[in-house]
Amino acid sequence: MITFAAPWLLLALPALPALWWLLRVTPPQPRRMDFPAAMLLRDLPIAEETPARTPWWVLLMRIAAAALLILGLARPVLGPTGADAGEGTLLLVLDDGWASGPDWPLRVAIAQSELDRAGRENRPAALLTTAPGEGAAPPRVIGPMPAADLASRLAALRPRSWPPDRQAALAALENWNRSERISALYLSDGIAHRADDTAEAFMARLAAGGTLTLARAETRPVRLLAPPRTEGDRLMLTLRQSPVNAPGEAQVIARAQDGRALARATFQLGAGETQAEAVLELPTEIRNRVYRLDLADEAGPGGVVLLDERFRRRPVGLLPGAEETAADAPLIGDLFYLERALNPFSELRRGEVDRLLARPLSVLILADRPVAEGPETTALTQFVERGGMLIRFAGARLAEHPDALLPVQLRAERQLGGSLSWEQPQHLAPFPEGSPFAGLPVPAEISVERQVLAEPSPRLADKVWAKLTDGTPLVTAETRGQGRIVLFHVTATAEWSDLPLSGLFVSMLRRLVALSSGVSGQEGEGALAPLEALDGFGRLVPPPPGAQAIPASGEAVPSARNPPGWYGTSGGEGFRRALNLGDTLPAPRLHANPPSGTAQRTIAGIPPERDLGPWLMAGALAILAIDLLASLRLRGLLSLARAAAVAFVLMGGAAQAQEAALPALVTRLGYVVTGDSGVDETMRQGLTGLSDFVNRRTAAALAEPAGVTPGRDDLSIYPLLYFTVRPDATALSPEAVGALNGFMRNGGIILFDTRDEGSGEGFSPGARTALRRVTQGLAIPPLMPVPEEHVLRRAFYLLAELPGRFAGGTVWVSREQDRANDSVSQVVIGGHDWAGAWAVDARGQNLHAAVPGGARQRMLAYRFGANLVMYALTGNYKGDQVHVPAILERLGN
């Protein structure tokens, strides 16, 4: 359907025939005359000539250009939205809750088109949104007013991050009290947000006032990402969506606090399925940096999950009191109950003190183990003072040999009951206020038969977190530096008490682990103020003015008063609690069908209005340009020779561009295609970022990197190949082995990356085994860690570390020197995911977080990449000192 915004300009169309007489004349073609002047005078015609007539096709183009100009100035509009021409007041109704964010621009464009049409028809317009406003302000009808005045209010609308309230919108509609006929356009999100949703009654009321057109996105599912479940080392993700008749998939991206992507997972959904699960498996250091989960291509709060401390998997070190083998003995081992209580929500590590403290650690547990004087005491003291938590369990060994790393001074051990006493075993008292265990129920069946006593002191009561019914301390704690020391005055086995056999033991340990690394333990008290809120597009913004605090002990429901986002306390001892839509909202389901007689359209099927005026005027200008060229040709001012010259220049430029694209004529880095699109894209983006860094910082000029398949592509044109080893990588074909061996033999370097070293341990499990499969048959020389004096550490930058996205692992190079290859190592092997650290998107932004060093670590990764490129291009030029004396002598002369 086409309408005209300025129809009076169409009156110029009948004047087009009059242009015939004005446009049909063409000036005569000029003639070239030779001097002398007598010849010119002799050839002058005596008879009077009439101008030449314009060819019919030129005249037709001119008439068409004039017609297009007239039509363009009349502003034709194609495809106005809505039903047939309405009557009375136009009522625009928009669902502006959390489910409308992904297609909000299209909704606003359709509503604006309806306002434009109402303005052309001189009809008033009104607006009603169904979600409560900030501070839980109820919905209300705005208008009626002129459509042009309502357009600014429509443009200022933004989707909300909480559900709509159709019952309140129905009440606003009832209070509107309009007697004249209305034409309503309802842009619905299609979802029933509550069990008692009033969508059916709401649409019936809209239809009762006149005509109703219902528009909803039937082909696009409404999706809701639920908070993940923790299962060992994995995060189990759940996606819920409204039913659709076609299969699909969705990707979730785990992001760090600075917005960089850490990992991806994919949901696969069949036709009609409303729920799917995916697994996100990350090393603990990276997983604890995940700040939020985002659904790709889903601009709304329903596709965002904020992860607070409840989803962290903190590393916990275990040190037994006896031998390692005896510590695991079923039912009686020092670590038997501890491992089973901590394993579901913590990463457990075993080993000696120095090995455990070599990596970041949140909690260290000593089970009846005295601390030896000297280096062990010094290391544990530094661990605590820097923010670590030391949890200790008493026993016979600790009672006999107490040390300085205890929160209280110990007395001799005490026995209740047994052969030396007839007293009954003691039970646990309710946990005192201020204790991290406050609020936990205390089972009556837990009893303590034996414990290590604390020496009475004036400050003993301040250090008690749990006690027995007779007032004897059971758990004491003390702050040391930035950390804490916690002591259970009983063993970690069932020898002295029933505590390790109970669920209370698990809850107590879980709260202690959550209390580590600066996480406050007072979250069971008071209220949590809003810190940041998610807006209707899934972005974190300052909380709206009407946002209120949520109770720390109870579950809040996202609403206008409690928008989803971050709540908590500020300051050094503060903490954050995430409130997500997926915590409490039900799975999306379609709302009831509209009343009979309602016109139904999909939002995707309602095109917004298109102003054809600019296109018609552009067409007129194009025709006039062609007319100009034709006139020049008819007058002899544009020869065929000149046209051929222009075509030759253009063809020559294209040939030069094609020649420049040949890889043999430029220097570029290569990567071995693995078949995994995600891995291959990361390598391409990584080498693109490295090439840009090298081009900016050095004299090298690298072109775009290219993917290669050994055995099929020519490898001789690449100085360096990047080879990411996937855990499921298979052995290379004989052709690939031969090609890579020839590449190394002729001076090429291969960088093998397993992505599982240092802080990335566990990121790519099985990659080291796959490396042995991949390199089988390759001429890999004996290897050694990169020595301090190796050229790779000083080819361009002086580097003490060679990190990538991960840090802390070992980088290997050739041990033997091959003079035929300038003693350059043919292979470099590591597991730091250098491509992930170098990777950039189309805007030059880094895509993956560098852990644990952040920006400094990424810069070192780029510098290592620059050294590697220089090493591949120039060999051992910095290590070759053979000719230095001769050069200095010549300079002296």
Side-chain angles (χ1 to χ4, degrees), residues 363-371 389-399 401-411 431 435-437 451-455 460 463-467 472-480 484-492 496 499 505 508-509 512 515:
V363 179
L364 183 60
I365 300 179
L366 277 62
D368 191 20
R369 175 186 176 123
V371 178
M389 175 176 284
L390 180 63
I391 302 177
R392 307 191 65 177
F393 285 85
R397 289 183 291 269
L398 185 60
H401 305 285
D403 52 66
L405 289 175
L406 293 171
V408 295
Q409 188 176 355
L410 299 183
R411 295 170 55 186
F431 296 110
S435 167
F437 312 132
Q451 68 172 139
V452 174
L453 284 178
E455 188 71 29
L460 178 60
K463 300 180 180 181
V464 176
W465 281 1
K467 57 186 177 181
T472 305
L474 178 67
V475 180
T476 55
E478 182 184 42
T479 300
R480 297 274 184 94
R484 290 185 176 91
I485 300 177
V486 181
L487 173 64
F488 283 75
H489 291 246
V490 293
T491 61
W496 286 14
L499 181 62
F505 187 65
M508 293 174 72
L509 289 177
L512 288 178
L515 188 63

Side-chain angles (χ1 to χ4, degrees), residues 580-662:
N580 296 300
L581 281 172
D583 283 333
T584 55
L585 294 186
R589 60 183 180 88
L590 301 179
H591 64 50
N593 290 324
S596 59
T598 301
Q600 297 189 56
R601 302 183 183 181
T602 64
I603 287 180
I606 302 179
E609 288 186 347
R610 296 180 181 272
D611 189 354
L612 300 181
W615 296 96
L616 295 177
M617 297 182 71
L621 293 177
I623 294 176
L624 290 177
I626 297 174
D627 175 78
L628 176 62
L629 295 176
S631 299
L632 293 176
R633 179 70 183 92
L634 291 175
R635 297 176 63 187
L637 300 179
L638 185 64
S639 63
L640 293 175
R642 291 179 180 177
V646 172
F648 177 78
V649 171
L650 294 176
M651 292 178 62
Q656 291 180 0
Q658 181 179 7
E659 183 179 3
L662 293 176

Side-chain angles (χ1 to χ4, degrees), residues 517-538:
S517 299
V519 180
S520 174
Q522 304 300 321
E523 55 188 89
E525 301 178 358
L528 308 180
L531 302 177
E532 291 181 289
L534 287 172
D535 67 3
F537 298 110

Side-chain angles (χ1 to χ4, degrees), residues 41 63 121 154-155 183 358 427 466 599 683 875:
L41 296 175
I63 295 294
E121 298 173 355
L154 176 65
S183 298
H427 297 276
M683 287 192 290

Side-chain angles (χ1 to χ4, degrees), residues 281 439 575 886:
E281 204 160 355
F575 69 97

Side-chain angles (χ1 to χ4, degrees), residues 345-363:
F345 59 89
S346 301
E347 180 199 5
L348 301 184
R349 300 175 184 171
R350 301 275 291 271
E352 295 301 323
V353 173
D354 54 351
R355 182 180 175 186
L356 288 174
L357 298 182
R359 297 173 59 188
L361 200 66
S362 296
V363 179

